[in-house]
Amino acid sequence: MAALESVGGLAMHVILSKLAPNDAALVACVSRRFRTWASDDDSLWSKFCSDDFQLNSPLDPVGNPTATFKESYGTWRDAFHMYPWPLVMRVKRCWDRLKNWFAANFPEILATLRRGASEEEINALEMSLKVKLPLPTRVLYRFCDGQDLKADNLTGRVPQSLLGLIGGYSFYDHQVNVFLLPLEQIVEETKDYIQQLGLLNSRPKYIVVAASCTYGEKTFFLNCRSGQLHVGTRNLLTDGEMIPCVPGSLISLLNDRDGSQVQDALLLWLEEHCRRLESGIIKVHQDGELRGINLFPELPPLCCTAITNGVKVRASAVFVPEGSNLEDEDEKYLFAYSVHMSLSPEGCIISGMNFGSCQLYWRHWVIRIGDAVVDNVNGEAVIGKFPLLRPGEEEFIYESYTFLSSLPGSIEGCFTFVPGRYLKKLSGTRFCYSFFRSLDVVIASNQVS
């Protein structure tokens, strides 16, 4: 021991920095000199705070400053000692990544995020609903108690904000924007389903954790026993029909030796959502005067893009569980699709000639299930419109939907544009030039948005 003490403080700092915080704390108990090196060296605890919690300044779990990094680390340990430590760090990373993305891309949403719930508040929910939350969900709510909700987001009226952190989509008069519910709202919404609808009487371990009640209701239920997350279909209110959101093989509620593999569907769901935001697969879009996270994918392979003669068309699809009916052979699965059209800065170029605009004239959609054609749509316009495209102007966007009786399915098609402007009749003939070839939109059946 004396020989080890003789190596000096700098060398011991390097050695101790290789240890885990628990081991460093044990070393501090060996002797007075080791206590000085392991306990009083705040730069060492600064490293531990950075490694475990990504803290650049000494803060406690609710964001209050502490005198030292060692004190900061101690407050975190005291607050979360009842949970597997790798799980705590994993959940914090998930929330940090989400908040960092919101700060850079959608700062309005930060004001809706509530402070973390206390153990007492989580215990009160469990007692009120007679459930036991999975550990990952408990830790998620310890860091953030869902979102503050305005009354207009829960009444089915025109929303004043699209600030649901899960986001949504719209087509025709169907609009979805999903919020992560706070604990008090979870209790209220779950009891409403139980008492008024009797929906969960046969499923006492289910609680409502996320929902949208704008133009189209979409509700997510967590099975506290299995850790699976479900979303309601069109038959939710009549027979409780739900669809699982995460492959069951990924869920693990068993607390292994170090807790590194504990994960439920809610944690996996939020991590995947974070990955899609960070990678640019989904983005914030303007919807009239409102901004919100749009779940239509914008990158391949979940999105298809074609550019022909200066016209760019991008298309993608999302599964719409709340409009699906698993008991209906014809309308079992509902998919919405979004199509974006724009013109390059050089305009429309045909046979070396440049046109400052072009206008949609015709569209042709072929919808398949497997290799079988189930619908063939061929006609003028899209949703009754003939969009005129000009360089530098905003994209023309339209959304529509289709039902599939089974999976997998696909949509492909072509658009015919007219250089310049489209005239219904020109010397008794139609003048048009088809330059959008084939666009395949492959519908993914393994991810519930």
Side-chain angles (χ1 to χ4, degrees):
M1 186 62 64
L4 187 58
E5 288 183 348
S6 67
V7 302
L10 182 59
M12 282 304 302
H13 175 84
V14 174
I15 294 171
L16 291 171
S17 67
K18 306 296 184 182
L19 301 179
N22 280 350
D23 296 328
L26 292 174
V27 169
C29 301
V30 172
S31 69
R32 183 176 298 176
R33 180 167 293 184
F34 276 107
R35 179 179 301 171
T36 300
W37 288 332
S39 182
D40 298 339
D41 182 0
D42 208 41
S43 64
L44 180 65
W45 292 96
S46 170
K47 178 183 183 302
F48 292 151
C49 284
S50 177
D51 290 346
D52 285 7
F53 311 119
Q54 293 75 53
L55 294 179
N56 297 318
S57 57
L59 301 172
D60 67 13
V62 295
N64 298 321
T66 60
T68 65
F69 279 103
K70 180 187 175 184
E71 180 183 343
S72 173
Y73 197 94
T75 62
W76 282 88
R77 275 292 185 179
D78 290 342
F80 292 96
H81 70 274
M82 66 289 295
Y83 299 108
W85 203 241
L87 175 63
V88 174
M89 292 186 287
R90 176 178 174 180
V91 170
K92 185 179 187 302
R93 285 194 297 270
C94 178
W95 276 119
D96 285 348
R97 290 167 60 197
L98 284 169
K99 290 177 181 179
N100 289 339
W101 190 91
F102 294 146
N105 301 279
F106 198 14
E108 306 97 301
I109 209 170
L110 292 174
T112 73
L113 301 181
R114 297 165 61 97
R115 296 180 72 170
S118 66
E119 283 293 302
E120 292 73 21
E121 290 170 326
I122 294 175
N123 292 339
L125 175 142
E126 292 182 333
M127 184 174 296
S128 177
L129 298 179
K130 297 180 175 58
V131 298
K132 189 70 173 176
L133 295 183
L135 285 184
T137 292
R138 286 185 69 102
V139 181
L140 282 167
Y141 273 87
R142 283 296 309 276
F143 279 96
C144 178
D145 183 16
Q147 294 183 266
D148 279 318
L149 306 178
K150 294 182 178 180
D152 56 287
N153 290 112
L154 296 173
T155 60
R157 300 183 310 206
V158 176
Q160 298 301 309
S161 63
L162 295 176
L163 298 179
L165 70 85
I166 304 303
Y169 39 78
S170 64
F171 52 95
Y172 298 115
D173 61 349
H174 186 89
Q175 184 180 62
V176 158
N177 188 249
V178 177
F179 287 77
L180 184 66
L181 300 182
L183 294 181
E184 59 185 7
Q185 197 71 39
I186 289 176
V187 173
E188 182 179 331
E189 294 290 321
T190 301
K191 286 186 174 181
D192 183 60
Y193 274 98
I194 293 173
Q195 296 173 1
Q196 295 187 28
L197 304 175
L199 177 61
L200 301 181
N201 284 336
S202 60
R203 303 178 181 181
K205 301 303 179 184
Y206 284 71
I207 62 171
V208 182
V209 291
S212 169
C213 297
T214 47
Y215 294 128
E217 290 195 23
K218 186 174 185 178
T219 308
F220 290 86
F221 298 84
L222 178 67
N223 183 330
C224 295
R225 178 175 292 165
S226 69
Q228 179 60 276
L229 189 69
H230 294 79
V231 61
T233 70
R234 194 197 311 174
N235 298 325
L236 174 66
L237 302 184
T238 56
D239 60 14
E241 186 177 78
M242 302 178 188
I243 299 174
C245 299
V246 173
S249 60
L250 298 180
I251 298 172
S252 175
L253 301 185
L254 296 178
N255 190 356
D256 56 7
R257 188 176 62 84
D258 63 357
S260 61
Q261 299 302 317
V262 179
Q263 53 190 26
D264 64 7
L266 185 57
L267 175 57
L268 291 166
W269 189 52
L270 287 175
E271 287 178 332
E272 171 63 15
H273 184 58
C274 181
R275 185 190 71 82
R276 292 189 174 206
L277 290 170
E278 290 178 333
S279 64
I281 293 175
I282 55 177
K283 299 179 181 179
V284 174
H285 273 221
Q286 194 84 22
D287 188 355
E289 297 181 355
L290 305 176
R291 295 207 317 150
I293 296 172
N294 191 298
L295 295 181
F296 283 108
E298 299 195 25
L299 290 178
L302 301 178
C303 174
C304 294
T305 301
I307 302 176
T308 310
N309 291 51
V311 174
K312 179 179 179 179
V313 178
R314 186 176 80 246
S316 62
V318 294
F319 178 49
V320 184
E322 70 277 10
S324 301
N325 182 351
L326 303 186
E327 299 175 1
D328 190 311
E329 290 302 318
D330 296 323
E331 299 186 352
K332 182 170 288 189
Y333 304 107
L334 175 61
F335 285 87
Y337 55 87
S338 177
V339 180
H340 297 232
M341 303 176 181
S342 61
L343 190 57
S344 70
E346 295 77 21
C348 173
I349 305 173
I350 302 175
S351 301
M353 297 179 61
N354 288 68
F355 296 84
S357 66
C358 64
Q359 192 164 13
L360 177 73
Y361 159 55
W362 197 270
R363 60 86 169 81
H364 181 201
W365 284 120
V366 177
I367 302 174
R368 291 184 173 90
I369 296 176
D371 294 328
V373 174
V374 295
D375 202 359
N376 194 324
V377 182
N378 207 354
E380 290 185 336
V382 290
I383 58 172
K385 297 180 179 180
F386 297 85
L388 179 67
L389 306 182
R390 294 189 178 94
E393 292 189 351
E394 290 186 359
E395 295 177 310
F396 173 79
I397 304 173
Y398 82 93
E399 285 90 15
S400 190
Y401 67 92
T402 186
F403 284 100
L404 296 178
S405 60
S406 64
L407 299 174
S410 66
I411 305 174
E412 69 176 60
C414 64
F415 296 103
T416 301
F417 284 81
V418 175
R421 286 178 177 268
Y422 165 59
L423 298 177
K424 187 73 173 179
K425 291 184 178 180
L426 182 62
S427 301
T429 63
R430 288 192 176 97
F431 173 69
C432 63
Y433 189 92
S434 177
F435 55 80
F436 179 55
R437 299 186 181 96
S438 178
L439 175 68
D440 295 328
V441 182
V442 178
I443 298 174
S445 61
N446 61 348
Q447 177 71 32
V448 176
S449 299

